[in-house]
Amino acid sequence: MRMIDIRVEAESRASPQSAFRLLRDGATWPRWSLFEAFELERPGHDDPLGVGAIRVFSTRVSRAREEIVEMVQGQRLVYTLLSGFPFQDYRAEIDLLPGPMGKTLIRWHSSFRVRHFATGWFWRLFMRKALNDVAHQLARAAEDHAIVSTAAELCSDT
């Protein structure tokens, strides 16, 4: 089966660091993404939320197990899918690129092969929509998180 590549982008008025904090911490995802539950199945090697961590994200109809395979603080998170969807060789790379005036460009690139012949068209459409939604949800949540963090800092200074 051929590799399917999906690339989506979203822009956030928040800094890359604000977006990365949410992206890295799976426990925040049920508050801002389409996922309803999170479980840290296994902590990472040197950092509980870092490389080697196995994260489980659930909705009413799905349960995806992912392993963090690369992380560059504030800039990049890469994971592979261990189970939950009928894919092979699934890998996602999320890059947070600084933009003008403190903005962040979120680039989410996923690639995978489908396990079942003739389902590629469906999974391409489904995953493009899901990843686009999550990238935009991350962008908005990072903005909200940055506003709350700034307000908390201002209150603590007074």
Side-chain angles (χ1 to χ4, degrees):
M1 305 269 176
R2 284 188 2 188
M3 188 68 78
I4 293 173
D5 281 307
I6 298 172
R7 297 173 192 271
V8 299
E9 292 185 353
E11 186 177 82
S12 178
R13 293 178 307 226
S15 69
Q17 292 75 20
S18 291
F20 187 80
R21 277 192 289 276
L22 296 174
L23 182 64
R24 178 181 178 270
D25 186 359
T28 69
W29 286 50
R31 292 196 301 262
W32 58 263
S33 76
L34 57 88
F35 296 101
E36 298 167 355
F38 165 78
E39 172 191 347
L40 182 62
E41 181 178 302
R42 182 183 78 195
H45 306 304
D46 298 325
D47 170 3
L49 302 178
V51 173
I54 295 180
R55 310 182 326 165
V56 181
F57 295 100
S58 302
T59 69
R60 284 180 291 229
V61 296
S62 69
R63 185 173 189 272
R65 291 178 65 242
E66 304 170 347
E67 181 175 2
I68 304 296
V69 296
E70 181 184 338
M71 186 179 290
V72 177
Q73 190 66 31
Q75 300 174 30
R76 181 177 174 86
L77 186 138
V78 180
Y79 65 90
T80 58
L81 182 71
L82 301 176
S83 64
F85 286 90
F87 304 149
Q88 296 174 326
D89 306 321
Y90 183 98
R91 179 182 171 95
E93 302 167 352
I94 304 124
D95 291 302
L96 306 173
L97 306 168
M101 298 176 18
K103 292 183 179 181
T104 299
L105 178 62
I106 300 166
R107 285 192 177 151
W108 204 304
H109 172 229
S110 293
S111 58
F112 57 92
R113 289 177 170 72
V114 295
R115 285 199 180 128
H116 306 292
F117 180 74
T119 61
W121 68 271
F122 170 79
W123 287 112
R124 180 187 308 273
L125 291 173
F126 178 89
M127 292 302 292
R128 181 176 308 284
K129 169 82 169 98
L131 295 174
N132 187 62
D133 287 352
V134 172
H136 282 86
Q137 290 167 338
L138 173 60
R140 300 297 78 80
E143 292 169 3
D144 294 345
H145 184 261
I147 290 168
V148 169
S149 296
T150 301
E153 288 172 15
L154 291 174
C155 289
S156 68
D157 289 343
T158 58

